[in-house]
Every structure is written in structure tokens, then in C-alpha cells.
């Protein structure tokens, strides 16, 4: 389910089955790494949408959380998001390709951050792109299944 009115109605009818909130994280920077930053964001959005499509009855895809790459309060904001969303969802997962978040911040998010290496999709054949996205989604599915099985 996505952040759209119709899906909220469906969520309200079936909320006992939808226990996982997924929030894509995208860094914003227009400096020397502008194109690379955009590529990472594009990749995370595509993976997130594919994940939601495959797990429509189990996950709720929230809007992308965009932040300035140089911002120092990102983790505090994400902890606030996690705390708020855990009132409604048993599992809260953040998806990112931002290496800086991966390296030092996952502890503060209690392991709720899934980091994915960016695969440049810009000039890729559509069939290969679909396959690579599917492979990434399968990895996330494995992580989610482990998390769901623990609870």
C-alpha cells in the first residue's frame, strides 16, 4: 500500500495484516556528487515501489524522506519517525543507499536501516534493470522475513 487516499481506506479495513512501514531515504546534494546522489535516490525509489508491489498486503510504503546530505539532525528525525510509526506498525524499516547513514547510524535506529548498494540504471537494458531490481527486492524480503519471524 502506498501513501494515497484509496490505500488508506484499504489499510483501515485490513490493518491487522499490514504490520510493516517502509520509508525510503534520499539524500539531497547539488555539489560535485549531484548526479551520483540523484542516481542513488532514483534507485531507492524504484526498489521501494517494487517492494511495495510485491508485498502490498503486508507493507505500507510511506513517502520518501528527503534530507540534505550535510544535515546533522537526520538520525534524530528518523528516530522520531520510527517512534511515531511504531504506534501503528510493528515493524518500521528505512531503505537507503547513503553510505554515511550505513556506516555510523544504524545502531541508533536499532537495526531498522537497510542499506543497498546503488546500481547505476541510467543506460541499462530494461530486462536487466528489472532483474537487478528483483534481486535487490529479494534481499530485502529475506531481511524482512527474518524480522517477522523473530516477532
Amino acid at each position: 500500500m502506498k501513501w494515497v487516499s484509496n490505500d488508506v481506506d484499504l489499510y483501515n479495513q485490513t490493518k491487522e495484516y499490514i504490520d510493516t512501514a517502509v520509508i525510503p531515504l534520499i539524500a539531497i546534494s547539488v555539489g560535485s556528487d549531484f548526479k551520483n546522489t540523484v542516481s542513488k535516490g532514483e534507485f531507492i525509489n524504484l526498489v521501494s515501489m517494487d517492494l511495495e508491489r510485491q508485498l502490498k498486503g503486508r507493507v505500507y510504503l510511506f513517502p520518501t524522506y528527503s534530507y540534505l546530505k550535510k544535515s546533522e539532525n537526520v538520525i534524530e528525525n528518523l528516530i522520531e519517525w520510527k517512534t511515531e510509526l511504531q504506534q501503528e506498525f510493528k515493524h518500521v524499516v528505512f531503505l537507503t543507499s547513503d553510505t554515511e547513514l550505513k556506516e555510523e547510524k544504524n545502531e541508533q535506529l536499532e537495526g531498522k536501516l537497510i542499506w543497498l548498494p546503488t546500481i547505476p540504471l541510467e543506460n541499462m537494458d530494461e530486462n536487466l534493470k528489472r532483474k537487478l531490481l528483483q534481486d535487490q527486492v529479494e534481499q530485502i524480503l529475506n531481511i524482512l522475513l527474518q524480522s517477522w519471524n523473530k516477532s
Side-chain angles (χ1 to χ4, degrees):
M1 297 185 180
K2 297 180 207 149
W3 190 257
V4 294
S5 297
N6 288 342
D7 281 357
V8 172
D9 292 337
L10 184 56
Y11 169 78
N12 286 328
Q13 295 168 11
T14 60
K15 65 166 72 178
E16 67 271 11
Y17 304 109
I18 302 156
D19 64 353
T20 305
V22 175
I23 304 98
L25 306 177
I26 296 181
I28 305 295
S29 173
V30 293
S32 60
D33 61 342
F34 188 17
K35 187 166 184 173
N36 185 42
T37 304
V38 170
S39 180
K40 287 179 179 185
E42 178 183 17
F43 178 73
I44 286 299
N45 273 333
L46 290 171
V47 169
S48 299
M49 289 185 292
D50 210 26
L51 180 68
E52 183 278 333
R53 184 182 55 76
Q54 290 190 35
L55 294 174
K56 190 169 183 96
R58 184 75 192 258
V59 304
Y60 202 101
L61 178 61
F62 279 78
T64 299
Y65 179 80
S66 301
Y67 57 93
L68 292 175
K69 193 169 190 169
K70 64 183 179 184
S71 180
E72 295 184 16
N73 60 349
V74 174
I75 290 303
E76 291 80 13
N77 291 340
L78 295 179
I79 290 170
E80 187 177 357
W81 269 65
K82 183 175 73 75
T83 302
E84 177 72 21
L85 293 177
Q86 282 180 327
Q87 294 177 32
E88 189 75 19
F89 296 91
K90 188 172 185 177
H91 306 279
V92 177
V93 176
F94 299 98
L95 299 179
T96 189
S97 283
D98 186 348
T99 307
E100 291 174 26
L101 284 182
K102 170 197 171 199
E103 291 174 352
E104 56 190 70
K105 313 298 190 204
N106 200 19
E107 278 182 32
Q108 293 171 298
L109 291 172
E110 300 170 349
K112 304 297 184 191
L113 181 77
I114 298 175
W115 179 83
L116 302 170
T118 302
I119 300 168
L121 304 173
E122 183 178 2
N123 297 314
M124 194 176 288
D125 173 70
E126 277 301 313
N127 290 331
L128 181 56
K129 187 187 296 188
R130 294 272 356 113
K131 172 72 173 118
L132 289 172
L133 288 171
Q134 180 60 37
D135 290 346
Q136 292 298 312
V137 169
E138 285 177 18
Q139 289 181 15
I140 297 168
L141 285 170
N142 288 332
I143 293 168
L144 290 176
L145 285 171
Q146 290 174 14
S147 178
W148 294 335
N149 287 334
K150 286 180 186 175
S151 54

